[in-house]
Structure formats: C-alpha cells, structure tokens
Amino acid sequence: MLKSISVLVVVAGVLVACGSSGALNGISKLGADFARAFNQDRNAEPISLAGVTLPRFPTSEPFNP
C-alpha cells in the first residue's frame, strides 16, 4: 500500500514538473490571436483577419500519427 502511494506521488510530481515548464505549449504555441479567436463566444462578432498573425515554426516536427 505504501509503495503504490509513493509511486502515485512520484508520478504526480513528474506530471506537475512537465506541465509547469516555461515553454509554449498547446494553444499558446499558436499565438495570442489564435487563442483569442478560440476562446471567444461562438455567437460573438467574428474577429477581423486584417491584423491576425500566426507564428511559424519551420524546425518543429509536424504531428503525424
């Protein structure tokens, strides 16, 4: 019982350490404009694309399942 609890604590610590890194991840990696468009209400006024920019990461590996 004590062994399984200690394993859970270690796994939880690793997950917290991975999630709290300073690197951009998830939706934040696509830029502030994308995050703003993604988080707005579905019935809100559409965002004008005139000044929207999306960052490019030419050295990143694309997702390929």
Side-chain angles (χ1 to χ4, degrees):
M1 180 71 172
L2 182 60
K3 184 178 177 182
S4 62
I5 291 174
S6 61
V7 169
L8 284 174
V9 168
V10 169
V11 169
V14 169
L15 289 175
V16 167
C18 290
S20 63
S21 66
L24 290 175
N25 54 17
I27 197 170
S28 300
K29 191 172 184 178
L30 296 174
D33 291 327
F34 185 86
R36 183 171 49 106
F38 186 81
N39 290 326
Q40 79 174 10
D41 185 28
R42 74 176 86 177
N43 294 323
E45 187 70 27
I47 294 174
S48 172
L49 297 178
V52 172
T53 58
L54 292 176
R56 295 182 185 175
F57 300 99
T59 58
S60 295
E61 279 291 317
F63 177 72
N64 189 5

